[in-house]
Amino acid sequence: MAQRTRTLSDLEAAELRGRRVLVRVDYNVPLDDDRRITDPIRIEATLPTLRLLVDAGARVILVSHLGRPDGAPDPAGSLAPVAAWLEDATGWNVPLLTEAPGSSELATRVAGLEDGEVVLLENIRFFPGETSNDPAFGTALGELGDLFVGDAFGVAHRAHASNVGAPTVIRAGGGTAVAGRLMEREIRFLRDTLRSPVRPFVSVMGGAKISGKIDLIEAILPTVDRLLVGGAMANTFLRALGLDTGKSLVEEDRVQMAADLLERGGDKILLPVDVVVASEISPSAQTRIVDRDDVGTDDRIGDIGPATRALFASEIRGAGTVVWNGPMGVAELAPFAEGTFEIARILADATDQGTLSVVGGGDSAAAAEAAGVAARMTHISTGGGASLDLMAGKELPGVSVLEVVDEVADVDGDAPDDAPDEAPAQVRTGGSTDGGAR
Ligand code: ADP
Ligand code: MG
């Protein structure tokens, strides 16, 4: 029988009331020079999990890292701004506990928690045992909770004490470890959807490098119906076709790899037919549109051209599932942003018509936001490396450590239709969450 990750939604409120719940979240948010949070999406995205736990009367102990403090306390890495943000957003008291895991002070503080109370431990990377997944540190953390909720998707591809050591200890002691609401969505859309995509299944890939995404390309190539390639990644493919790419960014040592992929992918792979070029990639660049055979020796390719946008659009419209990872050009600079923005708008329109759209990668998510269409996508992942690995079909330690349950088959023998009951305005997802076929 098929199995799936056990989730918080599988638990009854009675199983949570009065229990100490250790919740690993990813509050690794960007801060400005005044230590103000510039983008709270990662905190917002955990609110469905936190509200469920508080409503059930759980005693919530939040654990997160922030930055890379390297195993020692560092005032610049304090989670104090996050505790303050949570208090503002929810109206709860969220004390920041600075005592070390394993200390009697912290044990006493946690033992005194009341039902529905929420506390946040100080940056877990202030302690050397975190990233080394030190067993003693994992035990100290695990002893704080009766059960574990994994909601830190952004670090799920790492095996650290707080996301792997602690849940292992809790499970060994007879407690459960389940996916939180955010982790549940990430698994559903990045793993389950890609295992059985509604067809046609189209992947849009771009960004700077083939090398960073080769595992995903390899994994997805056999299952996709179309692979649309843009960004600097496409330059390396154009070189593999023997075309002149001028002074464009090309991974010279990956040209052969691109040629092999073209050979294997056959007509599944669509490359740009025209491109936006300039003599420099800058905010004030003077651009021209040229066919891909006409790139000059001094040209730099910065975006896909209008004919390519139309070609890609015709594949995206009518797709059952689209996975998008990597901008079509240098989307952070206005002269080269339009190809990416156009693809984002077309994908949002398709999503309105029933296409299931999954966006992975920080720069792609930022581009969807800048184009004003992020909320219309089915799912925008909160993970970078973790989302690439999960989509590529790899085991993630932070997911594997969670309990699995048997999938209950419905009368057709299909997986149950777990139509989402959530529509939290705070979570940056929206559109058609169920992605009906068309
Ligand atoms: P994501 O974060 O969505 O996975 P990547 O990090 O792989 O995306 O790629 C984003 C980067 O790719 C951006 O810095 C962008 O400037 C760069 N890029 C995209 N197209 C080009 C191009 N034609 N030339 C140079 N850089 C490019
Ligand atoms: Mg990136």
Side-chain angles (χ1 to χ4, degrees), residues 207 213 326-327 361-364:
K213 290 178 184 165
D363 291 283
S364 312

Side-chain angles (χ1 to χ4, degrees), residues 204-211 213 228-236 249 251 324-332 340 363-364:
V204 186
M205 296 258 194
K209 292 176 173 180
I210 295 180
S211 49
K213 290 178 184 165
L228 317 179
V229 184
M233 183 189 280
N235 301 344
T236 306
L249 186 61
E251 283 176 285
W324 176 29
N325 199 297
M328 297 291 96
V330 186
E332 58 272 35
T340 301
D363 291 283
S364 312

